[in-house]
């Protein structure tokens, strides 16, 4: 990814011109491109920084991950919470970093059009208060923050870092989520195997509708609906493919899908009894909350949120505590995904052992590892 300093500045000021809806931001008859003086290092930042991953939350808030040669950065715009991540340190906002984030992330100015025009408008001599200090523009926008990481990180770790930052922001911004649930979500993102995508969690952590988080968590259970059937078929046919590959092929070629309620019951049966009991209690089940008994109200709630019929108000139980329900779902998901990951690991180790036995037999035992 490459960009020119002039191009970046032009994009920024063009956006501000459009916002002002006036020509006061430029001098009549002059070049519309403003130029801001940058140091050699700042120039390298603007020219070579690569935006690897980013999420937007409305017009004013965003979180992004950047790489520049051997260094890596996480930046937020519009967050009220202080950006604090493990293995990182805060850095001062420079003209280059501000221009980069403003141009690439595109936050809306928070000031009025008149204020913007007055700040960046040039006088008759063509001078503007922002010509030599790009940071003069930062007061137009929501809060910019940036931390430098000790080293580059993988995409799953990027999203886990985002979840940590978003959890802090949810606490400060008055989210419906209580501290216990926020901790559960951070722990879930850190502890589950990488086959569980964490991006959907990032997208809903600042959503003020608890049903959005519930549906994301429920979809993590839907994501492994095909595990039991695909694994059984794979073992019976001795197919040399993962259950995920087999399920994808069955869905693509035969249009096969697992029966949802039966699959949900199988998934809950893979979870620990304690996690299922907590989930059943959060759903209002009295007595022994087995996987079968818990699957019914959980599946019904999912259907009431997903499907709509004319005249259906989709009223949910008044006793429902979204924090307890989502926290219980986190426990179930963590338990289920770890069981699947362990079984996949055991299967891979068994296959490796069989392969080694074949090699030993073919070589007359000459490659016995214990010899």
């Amino acid at each position: 990814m490459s960009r020119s300093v002039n191009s970046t500045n032009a994009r920024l000021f063009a956006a501000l011109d459009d916002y002002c809806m006036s020509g006061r931001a430029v001098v009549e008859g002059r070049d519309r491109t403003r130029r801001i003086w940058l140091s050699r290092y700042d120039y390298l930042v603007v020219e070579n920084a690569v935006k690897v991953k980013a999420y937007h939350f409305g017009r004013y808030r965003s979180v992004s991950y950047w790489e520049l040669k051997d260094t890596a950065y996480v930046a937020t715009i519009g967050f009220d919470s202080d950006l604090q991540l493990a293995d990182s340190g805060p850095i001062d906002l420079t003209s280059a970093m501000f221009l980069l984030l403003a141009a690439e992330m595109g936050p809306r100015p928070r000031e009025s059009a008149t204020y913007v025009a007055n700040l960046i408008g040039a006088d008759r001599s063509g001078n503007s208060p922002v010509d030599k200090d790009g940071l003069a523009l930062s007061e137009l926008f929501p809060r910019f923050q940036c931390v430098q990481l000790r080293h580059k990180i993988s995409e799953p770790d990027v999203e886990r870092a985002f979840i940590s930052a978003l959890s802090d922001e949810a606490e400060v911004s008055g989210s419906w989520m209580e501290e216990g649930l926020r901790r559960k979500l951070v722990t879930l993102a850190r502890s589950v195997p990488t086959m569980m995508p964490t991006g959907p969690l990032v997208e809903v952590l600042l959503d003020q509708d608890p049903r959005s988080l519930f549906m994301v968590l429920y979809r993590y259970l839907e994501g492994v609906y095909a595990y039991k059937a695909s694994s059984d078929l794979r073992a019976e046919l001795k197919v040399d493919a993962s259950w995920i590959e087999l399920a994808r092929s069955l869905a693509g070629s035969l249009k096969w899908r697992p029966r949802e309620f039966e699959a949900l019951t199988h998934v809950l049966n893979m979870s620990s009894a304690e996690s299922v009991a907590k989930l059943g209690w959060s759903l209002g089940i009295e007595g022994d909350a087995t996987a079968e008994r818990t699957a019914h109200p959980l599946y019904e709630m999912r259907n009431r949120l997903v499907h709509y019929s004319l005249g259906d108000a989709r009223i949910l139980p008044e006793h429902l505590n979204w924090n307890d329900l989502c926290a219980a779902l986190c426990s179930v998901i963590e338990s289920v995904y770890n069981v699947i990951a362990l079984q996949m690991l055991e299967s891979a180790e068994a296959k490796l052992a069989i392969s080694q036995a074949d090699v030993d037999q073919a070589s007359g035992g000459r490659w016995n590892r214990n010899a």
Side-chain angles (χ1 to χ4, degrees), residues 129-367:
V130 299
D131 274 345
K132 295 194 176 180
D133 183 11
L135 284 178
L137 283 172
S138 64
E139 64 181 87
L140 299 174
F141 294 92
R143 183 185 186 189
F144 283 64
Q145 297 182 79
C146 189
V147 296
Q148 180 175 341
L149 306 181
R150 291 185 180 178
H151 49 76
K152 295 180 180 179
I153 54 179
S154 64
E155 182 171 337
D157 286 333
V158 169
E159 292 178 337
R160 292 184 181 111
F162 287 175
I163 288 173
S164 179
L166 290 166
S167 176
D168 293 340
E169 177 65 8
E171 178 182 8
V172 172
S173 62
S175 169
W176 62 272
M177 289 186 292
E178 296 173 354
E179 182 181 358
L181 175 57
R182 292 196 303 271
R183 287 201 306 265
K184 273 280 188 182
L185 292 169
V186 172
T187 300
L188 179 65
R190 289 176 179 172
S191 63
V192 297
T194 55
M195 67 176 179
M196 172 183 161
T198 50
L201 273 181
V202 177
E203 295 172 349
V204 300
L205 277 181
L206 296 184
D207 198 316
Q208 290 291 16
D209 188 346
R211 292 172 297 184
S212 299
L213 178 59
F214 170 82
M215 285 307 305
V216 165
L217 295 175
Y218 188 93
R219 288 183 181 116
Y220 284 133
L221 299 182
E222 288 182 325
V224 291
Y225 270 2
Y227 174 72
K228 185 178 186 304
S230 298
S231 297
D232 292 345
L233 181 61
R234 176 175 173 269
E236 183 176 348
L237 298 179
K238 296 181 174 58
V239 177
D240 189 18
S242 70
W243 72 270
I244 297 176
E245 294 170 331
L246 184 57
R248 187 179 295 119
S249 297
L250 290 172
S253 302
L254 302 179
K255 308 303 179 185
W256 174 84
R257 294 288 190 279
R259 295 181 177 179
E260 291 186 351
F261 179 74
E262 288 81 354
L264 176 60
T265 303
H266 287 311
V267 169
L268 293 182
N269 270 316
M270 285 192 290
S271 177
S272 66
E274 181 183 2
S275 297
V276 173
K278 290 180 180 178
L279 180 59
W281 176 82
S282 70
L283 291 167
I285 295 178
E286 298 180 358
D288 188 16
T290 62
E292 290 75 12
R293 292 190 65 200
T294 304
H296 279 282
L298 183 62
Y299 186 60
E300 180 183 359
M301 178 175 295
R302 176 263 185 195
N303 288 341
R304 291 170 71 178
L305 292 177
V306 171
H307 303 297
Y308 176 76
S309 300
L310 292 177
D312 181 9
R314 295 193 295 176
I315 299 175
L316 296 177
E318 295 182 359
H319 70 271
L320 187 66
N321 184 311
W322 288 105
N323 279 276
D324 290 341
L325 175 58
C326 291
L329 273 174
C330 287
S331 297
V332 169
I333 293 165
E334 183 176 358
S335 179
V336 168
Y337 274 73
N338 283 326
V339 165
I340 293 176
L342 180 60
Q343 292 178 357
M344 292 174 65
L345 178 62
E346 291 173 347
S347 176
E349 290 178 345
K351 183 184 295 185
L352 180 62
I354 292 173
S355 300
Q356 183 62 45
D358 292 339
V359 170
D360 290 343
Q361 182 177 3
S363 62
R366 286 176 297 170
W367 300 106

